[in-house]
Amino acid sequence: MNKNLYGLMNWPEIEGIVYAECDKPKELLGAHVTGKGLLIQIMRPDAVAVKLHIDGRKTAVNMEKVDESGFFAALVSSKKKLSYTYSVEKVNGEVTEYTDPYAFANVTKPEDYKAFLAGEEKNAAHIFGAHERTVNGVKGVLFNVWAPKALSVSVVGEFNKYDGRVHLMERIEDTGVFELFIPGLAAGCGYMYEIKRQGKGTTRKLDPVSRQISSVPITASVVSDENMPDSYAWNDGLWMIKRKKEAGKKKPVTVYEVSLTDWLKEKSADELVDFVKQEGYTHVCFLPVAEYLNEEMNGYSTLGYFTVTHRIGGSDAFKKLVDDCHNAGIGVIIDWNGAYFGTEVKGLYDFDGADAYGYLKPSLEKHPEWDVVTFDYKKGAVRSFLLSSVLMWLNDYHIDGIRIDGVASMLYLDYGKQPGTWTPNMYGGNENLEAVEFFKQLNAVYRKKNKTSMLIAEESTAWPMVTGDIKDGSLGFDYKWNMGWMNDILRFYEEDPIYRKYDFNLVTFSFMYAFSENFLLPFSHDEVVHGKKSLMHKMWGDRYNQFAGLRNLYTYQICHPGKKLLFMGSEWGQFLEWKCEESLEWRDLADNMNAKMQHFTSQLNQLYKENRVLWENDLSWDGLEIIDADNTDQSVLSFIRKNDKGDMLVCVFNMAPVERKDFTIGVPVAAIYEEIWNTELEEWGGVWKEHNQTVQSQEGLWKDYPQTLTFTLPALGASIWKIKRRIKSKSTKNKK
């Protein structure tokens, strides 16, 4: 070896390159001016020979292999840096020319990451990830990743035979960010990050902000650039204008919850849009559409927080589905998980050897029931990551609502844990104070960015003020799933009617807190999976009574204050519970009773949308009046849904399999009443040929009502009455 060259070799630093343990490779690799000339060093383990091609010089310079691992060096006569490329001859004789990544200064600066590290970045996928860029006139891809405790990080892929020694990334001072611009790469290129972790060996990770991940098997992130023109041309302008104009207005919301991956096993996306429109739902809610690996978690163990899963066709296919829904008058909600991430080797788990995204304390980190790790909301970078993910789905995919899964597990440090296995907060309590602040920040930013899209919390406890204005101390959500109502009501409808009078409070208790939050009433996927049985199978009695009970249950949901949600298959009374690895039991619809049940549900949705009293006053007692919640012996509940214009519906529910002739309740208005809904009509699977005849109310004190209404109440049936024509009465209602 040339003496001058040998004397310039920094063998300890070269060893750091050889073992891919260097986090400042630009201090060694590339071109550096020395007192003896321009020193150029390159690491190419795949090369048998490397030549330098210096601009303006006709003769190539043979580089010397100074280390058998593939470390090459050359000393060029020059007192300044020169532009150059190098060619690599491989063992098979193939020669390829490259532009040296280490000939470029860092593209970003430490201050570029200030907002991200402070938890205020709203577009992390813009400053991180892999982006096509032109630097100093050279086209390539800029890679940036946050891995603060990593010993070193490399970009690997087919372009370097997954050899982490070739493209070591540069640490950007104390930001925890690593960067490298690689000339010659372009969109469509697969890559991963190879991370050396202190004391934990080497691992390969997908890019946390990947916009595309290769599929079957999931092996690599794919370079894509959101700054390029959108490949999908949206056609939902009228919907978006309408959504903006109707922001804040009282609207009907009845949601069809769908596992899109399971639906597409037998039906198409086009058929889904037609089906949801035909059934009369205002919205569709998709179980998580972000990329995942763990099939057992139904998509909730998220792998790609910025990536549409390959199972539904990728980004453009999902955009088209949202677009088609909008053009059919259907809003789109997606489930999103910000509570935890899976332990898949390629994902966020133990990302940099110190769990960049999770907690360091095992007592805080692991969820006790699932193989997942909870996010550490103290870290500004984690908050920026999650906030950016939510806003990406909202903005890039025109989403009308995001339902956040597992909110309770985020709010409580001891969620699902035994005493002594969790760490209290600074005040000794079990509240996750950082998660609380994250929710307030998320909702404030979300609302500022888009006033027309909903944020919904799946919160299963009595945490106060989940919904409402953040200024009043709430978390700021638009709606909260009413899990208490769901659990109570399903327990009641499963019960033998003989015992229902003893547990009638399960039906009526929700009225005590119905307006404490902005509620959505869910019959979701969680209640029809893992041995819990389908809604149909939960109902008491033989098959006929099960259908009767289901019609009664759905009518009660529609009439109860709150928005509505029903999981796919439940609308026709699928008997088998949901199996996430299979499609729906579409063959059920060949059965006349199932077909009638589906028709019933679609007509119920129409009834809901057509009667404003069922949805415009969902948030206060102005929209509800209890007639009788004390008829436990007969298991009959009656109440009124109303508005401030005098419109009203009288809703009566018989929870016993006994038809009640000449059944009487009190009503506030003297009128001729018309039955507009009877769950026992033959067309819906019941035995009644026609509705009750119109009935004129009679004067007479019933409780504190001045009028009475008498009619036949069907067994296990629900009956809804509407004023057809008011009549004069001498008496007036004597109510508070």
Short mmCIF file of all heavy atoms in Angstrom, two decimals, residues 143-180:
data_model
loop_
_atom_site.label_atom_id
_atom_site.label_comp_id
_atom_site.label_asym_id
_atom_site.label_seq_id
_atom_site.Cartn_x
_atom_site.Cartn_y
_atom_site.Cartn_z
N PHE A 143 -33.49 9.35 2.59
CA PHE A 143 -34.02 8.52 3.68
C PHE A 143 -33.79 9.22 5.01
O PHE A 143 -32.69 9.71 5.29
CB PHE A 143 -33.31 7.16 3.71
CG PHE A 143 -33.54 6.32 2.49
CD1 PHE A 143 -32.71 6.43 1.38
CD2 PHE A 143 -34.59 5.41 2.44
CE1 PHE A 143 -32.90 5.65 0.26
CE2 PHE A 143 -34.81 4.63 1.31
CZ PHE A 143 -33.96 4.75 0.21
N ASN A 144 -34.83 9.25 5.84
CA ASN A 144 -34.73 9.81 7.20
C ASN A 144 -35.51 8.91 8.15
O ASN A 144 -36.65 8.55 7.87
CB ASN A 144 -35.31 11.22 7.28
CG ASN A 144 -34.59 12.21 6.39
OD1 ASN A 144 -34.83 12.24 5.19
ND2 ASN A 144 -33.71 13.01 6.97
N VAL A 145 -34.91 8.58 9.28
CA VAL A 145 -35.60 7.74 10.26
C VAL A 145 -35.18 8.18 11.66
O VAL A 145 -34.04 8.60 11.88
CB VAL A 145 -35.28 6.25 10.04
CG1 VAL A 145 -33.81 5.95 10.27
CG2 VAL A 145 -36.16 5.36 10.91
N TRP A 146 -36.14 8.09 12.60
CA TRP A 146 -35.89 8.44 14.00
C TRP A 146 -35.60 7.16 14.78
O TRP A 146 -36.47 6.28 14.88
CB TRP A 146 -37.08 9.17 14.58
CG TRP A 146 -36.93 9.57 16.01
CD1 TRP A 146 -36.08 10.50 16.51
CD2 TRP A 146 -37.66 9.04 17.14
NE1 TRP A 146 -36.22 10.60 17.88
CE2 TRP A 146 -37.18 9.73 18.28
CE3 TRP A 146 -38.65 8.09 17.28
CZ2 TRP A 146 -37.68 9.47 19.56
CZ3 TRP A 146 -39.15 7.82 18.55
CH2 TRP A 146 -38.66 8.51 19.68
N ALA A 147 -34.38 7.02 15.28
CA ALA A 147 -33.97 5.85 16.06
C ALA A 147 -32.95 6.31 17.09
O ALA A 147 -31.76 6.03 16.98
CB ALA A 147 -33.39 4.78 15.15
N PRO A 148 -33.38 7.04 18.11
CA PRO A 148 -32.47 7.79 18.99
C PRO A 148 -31.41 6.97 19.70
O PRO A 148 -30.31 7.45 19.94
CB PRO A 148 -33.42 8.48 19.97
CG PRO A 148 -34.69 7.69 19.91
CD PRO A 148 -34.79 7.20 18.51
N LYS A 149 -31.73 5.74 20.09
CA LYS A 149 -30.77 4.95 20.87
C LYS A 149 -30.01 3.94 20.03
O LYS A 149 -29.25 3.13 20.57
CB LYS A 149 -31.50 4.22 22.01
CG LYS A 149 -32.21 5.16 22.99
CD LYS A 149 -31.23 6.10 23.67
CE LYS A 149 -31.92 7.00 24.67
NZ LYS A 149 -30.99 7.94 25.33
N ALA A 150 -30.18 3.98 18.72
CA ALA A 150 -29.49 3.03 17.85
C ALA A 150 -27.99 3.30 17.84
O ALA A 150 -27.55 4.45 17.89
CB ALA A 150 -30.04 3.12 16.44
N LEU A 151 -27.21 2.23 17.77
CA LEU A 151 -25.77 2.37 17.62
C LEU A 151 -25.45 2.87 16.21
O LEU A 151 -24.62 3.75 16.02
CB LEU A 151 -25.09 1.02 17.88
CG LEU A 151 -23.57 0.99 17.83
CD1 LEU A 151 -22.99 1.86 18.94
CD2 LEU A 151 -23.07 -0.45 17.98
N SER A 152 -26.15 2.30 15.22
CA SER A 152 -26.03 2.75 13.83
C SER A 152 -27.26 2.29 13.06
O SER A 152 -27.96 1.37 13.50
CB SER A 152 -24.77 2.18 13.18
OG SER A 152 -24.86 0.77 13.08
N VAL A 153 -27.51 2.93 11.93
CA VAL A 153 -28.63 2.58 11.07
C VAL A 153 -28.15 2.57 9.62
O VAL A 153 -27.40 3.47 9.20
CB VAL A 153 -29.80 3.57 11.20
CG1 VAL A 153 -30.98 3.13 10.33
CG2 VAL A 153 -30.24 3.70 12.66
N SER A 154 -28.56 1.56 8.87
CA SER A 154 -28.23 1.47 7.45
C SER A 154 -29.50 1.32 6.63
O SER A 154 -30.50 0.76 7.10
CB SER A 154 -27.32 0.26 7.17
OG SER A 154 -26.15 0.32 7.94
N VAL A 155 -29.46 1.80 5.40
CA VAL A 155 -30.53 1.53 4.44
C VAL A 155 -30.13 0.29 3.65
O VAL A 155 -29.01 0.24 3.09
CB VAL A 155 -30.74 2.71 3.47
CG1 VAL A 155 -31.94 2.43 2.56
CG2 VAL A 155 -30.94 4.01 4.23
N VAL A 156 -31.00 -0.71 3.63
CA VAL A 156 -30.68 -1.94 2.90
C VAL A 156 -31.82 -2.30 1.95
O VAL A 156 -32.97 -1.93 2.16
CB VAL A 156 -30.40 -3.12 3.86
CG1 VAL A 156 -29.17 -2.84 4.70
CG2 VAL A 156 -31.61 -3.40 4.75
N GLY A 157 -31.47 -3.04 0.91
CA GLY A 157 -32.44 -3.48 -0.07
C GLY A 157 -31.75 -4.30 -1.14
O GLY A 157 -30.54 -4.58 -1.05
N GLU A 158 -32.49 -4.67 -2.17
CA GLU A 158 -31.88 -5.42 -3.26
C GLU A 158 -30.76 -4.62 -3.93
O GLU A 158 -29.82 -5.18 -4.49
CB GLU A 158 -32.95 -5.79 -4.29
CG GLU A 158 -33.90 -6.88 -3.83
CD GLU A 158 -33.20 -8.21 -3.58
OE1 GLU A 158 -32.15 -8.45 -4.18
OE2 GLU A 158 -33.72 -9.01 -2.77
N PHE A 159 -30.87 -3.29 -3.87
CA PHE A 159 -29.87 -2.44 -4.52
C PHE A 159 -28.48 -2.57 -3.90
O PHE A 159 -27.49 -2.21 -4.51
CB PHE A 159 -30.32 -0.97 -4.51
CG PHE A 159 -30.71 -0.47 -3.15
CD1 PHE A 159 -29.76 0.05 -2.28
CD2 PHE A 159 -32.03 -0.53 -2.74
CE1 PHE A 159 -30.11 0.50 -1.03
CE2 PHE A 159 -32.40 -0.07 -1.48
CZ PHE A 159 -31.44 0.44 -0.62
N ASN A 160 -28.40 -3.07 -2.65
CA ASN A 160 -27.09 -3.31 -2.04
C ASN A 160 -27.00 -4.70 -1.42
O ASN A 160 -26.18 -4.95 -0.55
CB ASN A 160 -26.74 -2.23 -1.00
CG ASN A 160 -27.74 -2.18 0.16
OD1 ASN A 160 -28.49 -3.11 0.39
ND2 ASN A 160 -27.74 -1.08 0.88
N LYS A 161 -27.88 -5.61 -1.94
CA LYS A 161 -27.91 -7.00 -1.47
C LYS A 161 -28.10 -7.10 0.04
O LYS A 161 -27.61 -8.00 0.69
CB LYS A 161 -26.62 -7.74 -1.89
CG LYS A 161 -26.36 -7.74 -3.39
CD LYS A 161 -27.53 -8.29 -4.17
CE LYS A 161 -27.27 -8.25 -5.68
NZ LYS A 161 -28.46 -8.65 -6.46
N TYR A 162 -28.85 -6.14 0.58
CA TYR A 162 -29.18 -6.10 2.01
C TYR A 162 -27.91 -6.14 2.88
O TYR A 162 -27.89 -6.72 3.97
CB TYR A 162 -30.13 -7.25 2.38
CG TYR A 162 -31.55 -6.96 1.97
CD1 TYR A 162 -32.00 -7.32 0.70
CD2 TYR A 162 -32.43 -6.32 2.81
CE1 TYR A 162 -33.30 -7.05 0.30
CE2 TYR A 162 -33.74 -6.03 2.44
CZ TYR A 162 -34.16 -6.40 1.17
OH TYR A 162 -35.44 -6.12 0.77
N ASP A 163 -26.88 -5.48 2.41
CA ASP A 163 -25.62 -5.40 3.15
C ASP A 163 -25.56 -4.05 3.88
O ASP A 163 -25.44 -3.00 3.25
CB ASP A 163 -24.43 -5.54 2.19
CG ASP A 163 -23.11 -5.75 2.91
OD1 ASP A 163 -22.94 -5.18 4.02
OD2 ASP A 163 -22.25 -6.46 2.38
N GLY A 164 -25.67 -4.07 5.21
CA GLY A 164 -25.73 -2.85 5.99
C GLY A 164 -24.45 -2.05 6.00
O GLY A 164 -24.43 -0.92 6.51
N ARG A 165 -23.37 -2.56 5.44
CA ARG A 165 -22.10 -1.84 5.43
C ARG A 165 -22.02 -0.82 4.29
O ARG A 165 -21.17 0.07 4.32
CB ARG A 165 -20.94 -2.83 5.31
CG ARG A 165 -20.83 -3.80 6.47
CD ARG A 165 -19.80 -4.88 6.21
NE ARG A 165 -20.23 -5.77 5.13
CZ ARG A 165 -19.50 -6.78 4.66
NH1 ARG A 165 -18.30 -7.02 5.19
NH2 ARG A 165 -19.96 -7.55 3.70
N VAL A 166 -22.91 -0.97 3.31
CA VAL A 166 -22.80 -0.16 2.09
C VAL A 166 -23.40 1.23 2.27
O VAL A 166 -22.82 2.23 1.82
CB VAL A 166 -23.47 -0.88 0.90
CG1 VAL A 166 -23.37 -0.03 -0.37
CG2 VAL A 166 -22.83 -2.24 0.68
N HIS A 167 -24.56 1.31 2.90
CA HIS A 167 -25.26 2.60 3.00
C HIS A 167 -25.58 2.93 4.47
O HIS A 167 -26.74 2.96 4.88
CB HIS A 167 -26.54 2.58 2.16
CG HIS A 167 -26.28 2.57 0.69
ND1 HIS A 167 -26.62 1.50 -0.12
CD2 HIS A 167 -25.69 3.49 -0.13
CE1 HIS A 167 -26.26 1.77 -1.37
NE2 HIS A 167 -25.70 2.97 -1.40
N LEU A 168 -24.53 3.15 5.23
CA LEU A 168 -24.70 3.60 6.61
C LEU A 168 -25.25 5.02 6.63
O LEU A 168 -24.83 5.88 5.85
CB LEU A 168 -23.36 3.57 7.34
CG LEU A 168 -22.90 2.19 7.85
CD1 LEU A 168 -21.40 2.19 8.07
CD2 LEU A 168 -23.64 1.84 9.13
N MET A 169 -26.19 5.28 7.53
CA MET A 169 -26.83 6.59 7.61
C MET A 169 -26.09 7.49 8.59
O MET A 169 -25.41 7.02 9.51
CB MET A 169 -28.30 6.44 8.03
CG MET A 169 -29.12 5.55 7.10
SD MET A 169 -30.84 5.40 7.60
CE MET A 169 -31.50 6.99 7.07
N GLU A 170 -26.26 8.79 8.40
CA GLU A 170 -25.59 9.80 9.21
C GLU A 170 -26.51 10.29 10.33
O GLU A 170 -27.66 10.69 10.09
CB GLU A 170 -25.19 10.98 8.33
CG GLU A 170 -24.40 12.06 9.02
CD GLU A 170 -22.91 11.75 9.12
OE1 GLU A 170 -22.49 10.68 8.62
OE2 GLU A 170 -22.16 12.58 9.68
N ARG A 171 -26.03 10.26 11.57
CA ARG A 171 -26.81 10.78 12.69
C ARG A 171 -26.81 12.32 12.63
O ARG A 171 -25.76 12.94 12.49
CB ARG A 171 -26.23 10.33 14.02
CG ARG A 171 -27.08 10.73 15.23
CD ARG A 171 -26.37 10.40 16.53
NE ARG A 171 -26.21 8.98 16.75
CZ ARG A 171 -27.13 8.21 17.34
NH1 ARG A 171 -28.28 8.74 17.75
NH2 ARG A 171 -26.89 6.92 17.52
N ILE A 172 -27.99 12.91 12.74
CA ILE A 172 -28.12 14.38 12.72
C ILE A 172 -28.00 14.91 14.14
O ILE A 172 -28.98 14.99 14.89
CB ILE A 172 -29.45 14.81 12.07
CG1 ILE A 172 -29.62 14.19 10.69
CG2 ILE A 172 -29.52 16.35 12.00
CD1 ILE A 172 -28.57 14.60 9.68
N GLU A 173 -26.80 15.16 14.56
CA GLU A 173 -26.48 15.69 15.89
C GLU A 173 -27.24 14.94 16.98
O GLU A 173 -27.25 13.71 16.99
CB GLU A 173 -26.73 17.21 15.92
CG GLU A 173 -25.79 17.96 14.96
CD GLU A 173 -25.88 19.45 15.08
OE1 GLU A 173 -26.49 19.95 16.04
OE2 GLU A 173 -25.33 20.14 14.20
N ASP A 174 -27.93 15.67 17.89
CA ASP A 174 -28.56 15.00 19.02
C ASP A 174 -30.07 14.83 18.83
O ASP A 174 -30.82 14.71 19.80
CB ASP A 174 -28.29 15.77 20.31
CG ASP A 174 -28.80 17.21 20.25
OD1 ASP A 174 -29.21 17.63 19.15
OD2 ASP A 174 -28.78 17.88 21.29
N THR A 175 -30.52 14.80 17.59
CA THR A 175 -31.95 14.69 17.31
C THR A 175 -32.47 13.26 17.39
O THR A 175 -33.67 13.04 17.49
CB THR A 175 -32.27 15.23 15.90
OG1 THR A 175 -31.57 14.42 14.93
CG2 THR A 175 -31.85 16.69 15.76
N GLY A 176 -31.56 12.29 17.30
CA GLY A 176 -31.98 10.90 17.21
C GLY A 176 -32.37 10.50 15.80
O GLY A 176 -32.83 9.38 15.57
N VAL A 177 -32.17 11.40 14.84
CA VAL A 177 -32.55 11.17 13.45
C VAL A 177 -31.32 10.74 12.65
O VAL A 177 -30.23 11.28 12.83
CB VAL A 177 -33.17 12.44 12.82
CG1 VAL A 177 -33.49 12.20 11.34
CG2 VAL A 177 -34.43 12.84 13.58
N PHE A 178 -31.52 9.78 11.76
CA PHE A 178 -30.49 9.34 10.82
C PHE A 178 -30.94 9.68 9.41
O PHE A 178 -32.12 9.53 9.07
CB PHE A 178 -30.25 7.84 10.95
CG PHE A 178 -29.56 7.43 12.21
CD1 PHE A 178 -30.26 7.34 13.41
CD2 PHE A 178 -28.21 7.15 12.21
CE1 PHE A 178 -29.63 6.95 14.58
CE2 PHE A 178 -27.56 6.77 13.38
CZ PHE A 178 -28.27 6.68 14.57
N GLU A 179 -29.97 10.11 8.57
CA GLU A 179 -30.29 10.55 7.21
C GLU A 179 -29.27 10.00 6.22
O GLU A 179 -28.09 9.84 6.55
CB GLU A 179 -30.28 12.09 7.13
CG GLU A 179 -30.47 12.63 5.72
CD GLU A 179 -30.11 14.10 5.60
OE1 GLU A 179 -30.81 14.91 6.25
OE2 GLU A 179 -29.13 14.44 4.90
N LEU A 180 -29.73 9.71 5.01
CA LEU A 180 -28.82 9.41 3.91
C LEU A 180 -29.53 9.64 2.58
O LEU A 180 -30.66 9.17 2.38
CB LEU A 180 -28.31 7.97 3.97
CG LEU A 180 -27.20 7.63 2.95
CD1 LEU A 180 -25.93 8.45 3.24
CD2 LEU A 180 -26.90 6.15 2.93
#
